[in-house]
Structure formats: structure tokens, C-alpha cells
Amino acid sequence: MSAVPAQALVLDFGGVVTRTLFETHALTEQALGLAPGTLQWRGPFDPGSDPLWRAMQADEISERDYWRTRTSEVGRLVGEDWQAMETFVRRARGAEPEKVVRPEADSTIRTVHAAGFRLAILSNELDLFYGADFGQRLPLLGLFDVIIDATYTGILKPDPRAYAFVTEALGLPAGACVFVDDQRRNVDGGCAAGMRTVHFDVARPAHSYAEALGHFDLVPVA
């Protein structure tokens, strides 16, 4: 544990703040007019049935490669040529991103903000996946002091420079930052950078957010 008090919560976005696309297959199928059960890939919820996910976890392909492939596959299912993940997310989730924000994320972000601590996003693909106007459609992002998005920096976690970007922007030492991510490689990168870390469990979001709040001596809002 860092000797420096926790002063900032640094969150990954997709999977941590929002529910994963794996968790919202039914919503996606409904939005796209696909038969229920069409989408079978389940990523971390069923790695055994998702060889592409296992390849990503083995560092054989990147996270972006995984989602480019899934984007193309789903586009073909609706008879279209989809190249951009933004297209997939927009078509699957529409113009109301609040519907896929984890309630535990909303509560935690507001609790940390109200307690006077800093907030930051460190994402590999925020605007790449969601579109450049996404912040205007999700007011919750207005509570964040810093948003570092590799869509613009070109530096992907777990590159050490990604973590340096966020600590420099916050003006805080790494040990004062609690970094939360659902990808083990990214968590390991944060740990190597000197951050406090929480490996977010997408199957137990309340548990992971309670762990993060514990670094600030805060408790989840009932």
C-alpha cells in the first residue's frame, strides 16, 4: 500500500463505467433486429467458447483487434460493412448511453466527487468506440477532472507513458491514484507505474467498486 494518501480515482471506461457489450447482447439484438441468441461470444463471461477473446488474453491480438473483428461480424449480420467500433456502439446502444452505465459506477463516481477527491478516465478507446460527441451525451463525464483517451494520444495501456499522462495531468504522484481496470495487463501496468490498483471484476462490479472506495475510506451508498 502506498504511503501517500489516495487523492484520485482513475477509471477505465468500457467495462468499468459501462456494462460490457458481452452483458448487453439482448439489448444489441433488439436494437439491430436480430433474433434472440444470435450473438454467442461472451468474452470474460465464458472464455472457453470465445477463442478470439482467449487470443487477446494471450497477447496474440490487441483489444482493438478483437473489437474490430466483432464489429465486422455484427455488421455483416445486418447486411452492412462496419469498419469503426463507433458504428457498432452507436447502433447497438443508440443515443442514450446512460442506459448502459453501471449503477455502481454512477454511485461511486458521485460519492468520490462529493467527498472532494479527484476523478480521471484513462481509456484506450473512449471516443474511438463512442464518438467524439459522447461527452455531450453523457453528463456524468462532466464530473471528471481529467480524461486521457488513447484515441488522441495514440499510447495504449499498459504502455508506461499512458499512466504518466494521467498522473501529470492530475498533478499527483502515482501512489495517490487508485487505478481501476478490467484487463489484468492494464492493472499490472498501473501497478508498475506505482499506482494503487483494483482489478475490476465485470461479474462482481459492486465488490470491485467497494474495494476502490476503501482506498479513500469511503463506503458504497446503499
Side-chain angles (χ1 to χ4, degrees):
M1 182 69 68
S2 171
V4 180
Q7 298 175 60
L9 179 63
V10 180
L11 300 175
D12 178 36
F13 190 76
V16 174
V17 175
T18 60
R19 288 186 287 159
T20 66
L21 282 165
F22 306 105
E23 296 169 82
T24 56
H25 278 340
L27 292 174
T28 298
E29 289 161 351
Q30 182 179 21
L32 299 179
L34 299 172
T38 297
L39 303 178
Q40 294 291 322
W41 38 273
R42 296 282 296 163
F45 294 92
D46 188 9
S49 66
D50 193 340
L52 194 66
W53 177 264
R54 297 199 304 273
M56 189 193 84
Q57 294 299 306
D59 288 326
E60 295 169 9
I61 63 172
S62 70
E63 187 175 11
R64 286 187 177 185
D65 290 334
Y66 179 91
W67 287 113
R68 285 192 186 105
T69 300
R70 293 303 182 206
T71 293
S72 296
E73 290 174 353
V74 176
R76 287 196 296 272
L77 289 173
V78 296
E80 299 176 18
D81 179 18
W82 291 358
Q83 298 296 323
M85 184 66 187
E86 176 184 338
T87 305
F88 185 2
V89 175
R90 291 277 188 99
R91 293 287 296 277
R93 296 186 163 178
E96 299 180 273
E98 293 93 343
K99 289 186 176 180
V100 294
V101 170
R102 296 188 185 279
E104 302 90 350
D106 185 276
S107 174
T108 297
I109 290 164
R110 295 183 189 281
T111 297
V112 170
H113 182 262
F117 295 104
R118 310 284 297 284
L119 287 163
I121 292 285
L122 179 58
S123 173
N124 277 355
E125 72 290 292
L126 183 58
D127 282 6
L128 177 70
F129 282 15
Y130 289 87
D133 66 341
F134 184 69
Q136 299 170 21
R137 294 184 287 119
L138 186 60
L140 185 68
L141 290 182
L143 298 181
F144 285 83
D145 302 282
V146 168
I147 296 178
I148 302 296
D149 182 1
T151 302
Y152 305 107
T153 67
I155 305 300
L156 301 174
K157 298 170 291 184
D159 188 309
R161 291 173 292 174
Y163 307 94
F165 284 147
V166 76
T167 55
E168 289 169 7
L170 287 167
L172 292 172
C177 299
V178 180
F179 174 61
V180 184
D181 199 293
D182 62 324
Q183 295 296 319
R184 169 54 69 183
R185 74 186 79 181
N186 297 340
V187 172
D188 290 344
C191 187
M195 293 177 162
R196 300 163 180 250
T197 58
V198 175
H199 185 197
F200 190 85
D201 185 346
V202 295
R204 297 197 302 162
H207 173 84
S208 295
Y209 271 117
E211 182 182 346
L213 285 170
H215 285 276
F216 300 92
D217 293 324
L218 298 171
V219 296
V221 176

